[in-house]
Amino acid sequence: MSALAFILAGTLAAATPLLLAALGELVAERSGVLNLGLEGLMALAAALAFIVVYQGGGHALAFAVGAVAGMVAALVFAGAVLTFRANQVAAGLAIGILCLGLSALAGRSFESLTITGLPKLEVPLLSDLPTIGGLFRQDIVVWLALLGTLAIHVMLRHTKVGLIVRAVGENPRAAQAIGHPVIPIRYAALAFGGCMAGVAGAYASTVYTPLWADGMIAGRGWIAIALVVFGTWQTGRVFLGACLFGALSLAELAAQVVGVQLPSQLLASMPYLVTIVVLGLISSNRRRMRLNSVASLGEPFEK
Amino acid sequence: MPEFVPREHASVRASVLAPFLALALTVVVSLVLFALLGKPSGAALHALFIEPFLSWYSFSEVLLKTGPLLLIAQGLAIGFRAKVFNIGAEGQLILGAICASALPVYLPTSTSPWLWPAMMVLGALGGALWASIAALWRTWLNASEILVTLMLSLVASQLLNYLLLGPWKDPAGFNFPQSVMFQYEAMLPTLLPGTRVNVSLLFGLAATLAAWVLMQLSFLGYQLVVGGLAPRAASYAGFRGGRAVWVSLLLGGLAAGLAGAAEVAGPIGQLQRSVASGYGFTAITVAYLGGLRPLGIVLSSFLMAVITIGGDSAMVTADLPVAAVRVVQGLLLIFYLAALVGVRYRIVWSRIATQATS
C-alpha cells in the first residue's frame, strides 16, 4: 500500500476521537464555559469503556458507559464553576487531574491488555477504487461521527436551540433578560461536551487502538481544545482541523512505510509542534479572533 | 434551596477555612472511594497522612519532596495571580534537568567546585528559555499560553526520551534509558546529614522570600496583581500586559528549571525518565491550595509532600495504587476551589431571604 493510500484510509479513524471531543468542547465554549479537563474526561471514559468490552459487555454498552462517565465528570466541573463560581481554568485542571487519577485507578488491573475493535463498514463500489478506496472503509463510529458533525453544525447555525446556546455565550445578561436561564443552559452544554469527550475516549480505547494503557490519551484532549481555537469556533473548520491532525498522527507510521529515517520522538512530537505553530498562525490574526471567539468565554455569570 | 449572595467585603475567615474544609471533604470522599475499591480505608488514610511522620527517614523524604514543589509553586503562583496560566511547569522542569545534565554528561571528569552551581544556573536558564517560547507566542502571536505551555511539556518529554535513548545514553548502562552517573562535584551538598535532604530545600525557601518581597513590597508585584484582578484598570493606568506575561512565564520557568536541575543533581544523580515525575503538575495544585500566597504555599507544598510520601507507604501497607495520590490531589483542588465561594458570597438557605436581598 502506498503511503498516500495508507494516510487516506486511516485519517478519518485517527481524527474521530479528536473530532468528537472537540465538537463537545465547541458546544460548551459556545455557551461561554471553557472546560480544560477534557484530557481527563477522555481517559476516564477510555478506561471504563475498555473494562466493559474486556468483561464481555460489548461495544454499545461500552460507549454508553463512556458517555455517562464523561457526562458525570463534566457535571462535577459544571457544579464547581457554575454553582460554586470556581475559577474555570483551575477547576478544569482539577477535574482533569482527578479523572486521570481515577482512570489509572480503574484500569490498573487491565494495563496493556487488548480486545477486538469494530469491523469496517464499506461503501459499495467506492471502497473498491484504487488509492482512495480506503477512505470508504470505516467503522460505524466514524460514519456516525461524520453525521454528528453535520448535526452539530445544523444545530448551532440553524436551530433555535443553537441560537439560544450562542446567545448565552455571547451576551449572558441579555439572554437571561429575555428569559433564557443562563446557568441551566450552561449545565446542559457542559453535560453534552462531557458526553462527547466520553464517547471520544471510549472510541480511542475500544476501537481505534483497542487496548488500555495509562496515559494512552497522550494529549489528545488538549489537542481537541486547541482544535476549537483553530476552527475559530466554527464546526466545519474544527472538522478540517481534526482531519489534519488525524493525518499527522499517522505520519509516524507512514514514514516507516516510505522508509524515511527520522527519530521516532520527533515524529511523536509532530502533533504537539504543529499545534504550537498553527495556534500561533491562527491567533495572530487578532481581528478574526475577536470576531469569532465567544464574548463571555471563561467569565463567571452574575445575575 | 441554598443561594449565594455577594458579600460587601471578602471574608478573611472563609479564605482561611476553605483549605481545611476541602481537606475534610477530601478525606471523607477518599474513605468512601477506597472502601468501594475494597481497600482498607482506615489503613490507607493512616498511611497517607500519619505514616510520613512516624519515622525520621520518611519525614526527611517529605522534606526532600517539599523542596521542588515549593520552588515551582512559588514561581507559578506569581503568574496565576496575574492571570497568566503557565500549566507547563513539567516541561520547564525537564528542560532544566536536561540543561543541567549537559555539564556532567560532556565533562564527566571535571572536578571543579563550581560544577553544581553552574548546573543550577544552566537549569534555571533552560527552564526560562522553554517558558519564553510561550511568552513570545502570547505577546507576539496572541496565542493562548495555556495550550502552548502544555504542548511544550509534551515536546520536552519526547526530547528527554530522545536524549536518553540516543546521544546521552550511558554506554555502560546495560541499555537502560539513562545518562552516566554524575560525579561527586555535580551533586548538591546535603543539608541534613544522614538523609537525602539537600540544599534544594533552601532554594524553595529563598524563592518564598523572593516571591513575598515581589508580591507584597514591589511596584512590579502590584502591577501584576492589578493586571490579574482588573485588566482594564491596569491598562488605563498604563501597566503593560505584555510585561506581565513575560515576567510571569520567565519566573515560572526559572523556578521550574532550577527544580529540575536540583532533582538530577540531588536524589536522582543522573538524567533519567523519573525526573519527569509530575512535580510540575502537582505544583499547580500546591499553588492554588496555598491561596496563591507565598506563606500559604509553604504549608500546601508540605501537605502535598506528605500525601506523596504517604502514597508510597499506602502502596505497601494498604495495597493502594500510586494513582490514588492523583485522585486525592484532584479532589483536594476541586473542593478547595468550590469552597472559595464563601470568600465572596454568603450562603442563604431560605427562599424568602434570597428574594429580600436580590
Side-chain angles (χ1 to χ4, degrees):
Chain A
M1 195 170 19
S2 75
L4 180 65
F6 174 79
I7 289 182
L8 278 178
T11 292
L12 282 178
T16 294
L18 298 172
L19 177 65
L20 291 170
L23 288 176
E25 178 73 12
L26 173 66
V27 171
E29 289 194 17
R30 275 292 194 176
S31 82
V33 191
L34 177 70
N35 182 0
L36 291 182
L38 228 49
E39 179 88 4
L41 264 53
M42 286 177 75
L44 178 61
L48 296 180
F50 179 87
I51 295 170
V52 169
V53 175
Y54 190 80
Q55 306 284 17
H59 277 84
L61 184 64
F63 275 91
V65 167
V68 170
M71 191 171 75
V72 169
L75 284 174
V76 173
F77 169 73
V81 298
L82 298 176
T83 300
F84 288 92
R85 273 96 157 167
N87 176 321
Q88 285 183 16
V89 172
L93 293 173
I95 216 71
I97 296 169
L98 176 62
C99 290
L100 279 172
L102 286 174
S103 77
L105 214 54
R108 189 171 63 127
S109 340
F110 300 87
E111 188 77 25
S112 304
L113 295 176
T114 55
I115 49 177
T116 10
L118 285 174
K120 305 269 190 218
L121 303 180
E122 302 186 354
V123 180
L125 295 178
L126 289 176
S127 58
D128 297 329
L129 291 171
T131 310
I132 61 164
L135 203 53
F136 301 97
R137 269 191 299 275
Q138 306 290 349
D139 57 70
I140 184 163
V141 186
V142 173
W143 296 122
L144 290 177
L146 293 177
L147 278 181
T149 309
L150 198 63
I152 287 172
H153 175 77
V154 171
M155 189 273 284
L156 279 175
R157 270 286 184 79
H158 302 292
T159 68
K160 195 178 169 193
V161 177
L163 186 64
I164 294 171
V165 169
R166 285 189 293 150
V168 164
E170 288 305 323
N171 194 335
R173 275 169 182 277
Q176 183 88 18
I178 58 169
H180 299 303
V182 170
I183 300 292
I185 290 169
R186 287 186 171 173
Y187 262 101
L190 278 171
F192 177 76
C195 252
M196 294 292 278
V199 173
Y203 183 78
S205 72
T206 66
V207 184
Y208 185 59
T209 45
L211 62 84
W212 168 253
D214 190 16
M216 69 168 292
I217 297 300
R220 277 182 282 198
W222 292 101
I223 292 178
I225 296 171
L227 279 175
V228 179
V229 183
F230 293 172
T232 53
W233 293 270
Q234 318 273 324
T235 323
R237 294 184 197 161
V238 169
F239 172 73
L240 290 179
C243 289
L244 169 74
F245 276 83
L248 204 64
S249 68
L250 297 173
E252 187 174 355
L253 295 167
Q256 283 168 6
V257 174
V258 189
V260 179
Q261 291 296 317
L262 277 174
S264 69
Q265 293 86 6
L266 180 63
L267 290 167
S269 329
M270 279 316 275
Y272 316 137
L273 290 171
V274 172
T275 303
I276 293 170
V277 171
V278 178
L279 200 59
L281 288 177
I282 300 229
S283 310
S284 65
N285 190 337
R286 282 165 211 256
R287 213 174 87 92
R288 195 169 74 188
M289 287 296 280
R290 248 205 313 275
L291 277 176
N292 287 300
S293 74
V294 180
S296 75
L297 187 60
E299 284 171 17
F301 175 69
E302 306 283 352
K303 271 182 220 170
Chain B
M1 275 288 285
E3 288 268 346
F4 296 108
V5 179
R7 292 180 194 272
E8 296 264 314
H9 301 285
S11 159
V12 177
R13 202 178 56 161
S15 63
V16 174
L17 276 177
F20 296 98
L21 182 63
L23 192 58
L25 284 170
T26 302
V27 167
V28 172
V29 174
S30 317
L31 268 174
V32 173
L33 191 69
F34 298 159
L36 285 176
L37 284 170
K39 307 292 179 199
S41 291
L45 275 192
H46 183 265
L48 275 177
F49 293 102
I50 310 291
E51 275 175 30
F53 296 98
L54 293 185
S55 78
W56 170 236
Y57 171 75
S58 45
F59 184 72
S60 74
E61 288 292 299
V62 170
L63 292 180
L64 182 70
K65 292 258 184 237
T66 306
L69 288 176
L70 180 58
L71 182 55
I72 303 171
Q74 293 292 6
L76 293 183
I78 293 167
F80 292 165
R81 287 188 76 182
K83 294 253 160 55
V84 178
F85 297 103
N86 172 6
I87 61 170
E90 187 76 3
Q92 293 141 28
L93 176 144
I94 293 174
L95 256 286
I98 289 175
C99 290
S101 302
L103 283 183
V105 164
Y106 288 115
L107 305 170
T109 52
S110 164
T111 52
S112 161
W114 292 100
L115 192 57
W116 73 259
M119 286 166 65
M120 295 303 117
V121 172
L122 271 185
L125 289 179
L129 202 67
W130 203 241
S132 70
I133 301 173
L136 186 68
W137 245 241
R138 166 79 190 268
T139 51
W140 177 45
L141 298 173
N142 188 36
S144 155
E145 79 283 7
I146 302 177
L147 291 169
V148 175
T149 50
L150 194 275
M151 289 294 147
L152 284 171
S153 279
L154 298 172
V155 175
S157 135
Q158 292 295 335
L159 180 63
L160 178 68
N161 283 344
Y162 168 72
L163 289 172
L164 293 178
L165 292 167
W168 286 12
K169 187 165 71 178
D170 181 4
F174 303 103
N175 232 6
F176 281 111
Q178 56 194 30
S179 76
V180 291
M181 292 295 291
F182 296 170
Q183 63 267 44
Y184 176 76
E185 287 75 13
M187 301 294 288
L188 287 176
T190 304
L191 189 66
L192 303 172
T195 71
R196 300 203 294 161
V197 182
N198 58 44
V199 295
S200 82
L201 187 59
L202 298 183
F203 299 161
L205 294 173
T208 305
L209 187 66
W212 187 83
V213 169
L214 175 72
M215 299 315 276
Q216 297 292 322
L217 304 180
S218 80
F219 184 52
L220 177 63
Y222 175 72
Q223 288 176 318
L224 290 176
V225 173
V226 174
L229 285 176
R232 288 187 147 197
S235 71
Y236 290 141
F239 302 167
R240 290 202 315 274
R243 192 162 75 165
V245 172
W246 277 102
V247 170
S248 301
L249 280 162
L250 286 180
L251 289 180
L254 212 63
L258 180 58
E263 278 301 292
V264 289
I268 303 182
Q270 66 186 152
L271 188 63
Q272 51 161 271
R273 275 183 191 157
S274 67
V275 73
S277 62
Y279 282 128
F281 294 115
T282 307
I284 298 172
T285 308
V286 169
Y288 275 105
L289 218 52
L292 303 182
R293 298 294 193 281
L295 296 178
I297 292 170
V298 174
L299 296 177
S300 61
S301 60
F302 181 72
L303 172 69
M304 207 55 77
V306 167
I307 296 174
T308 312
I309 295 300
D312 288 347
S313 54
M315 217 168 24
V316 183
T317 53
D319 186 32
L320 207 63
V322 199
V325 172
R326 287 197 267 165
V327 173
V328 170
Q329 193 189 323
L331 286 173
L332 203 50
L333 183 54
I334 196 110
F335 283 134
Y336 172 72
L337 293 168
L340 278 185
V341 74
V343 177
R344 287 190 301 121
Y345 298 85
R346 64 200 167 77
I347 301 164
V348 179
W349 288 90
S350 102
R351 188 167 285 249
I352 300 147
T354 314
Q355 280 163 359
T357 47
S358 62

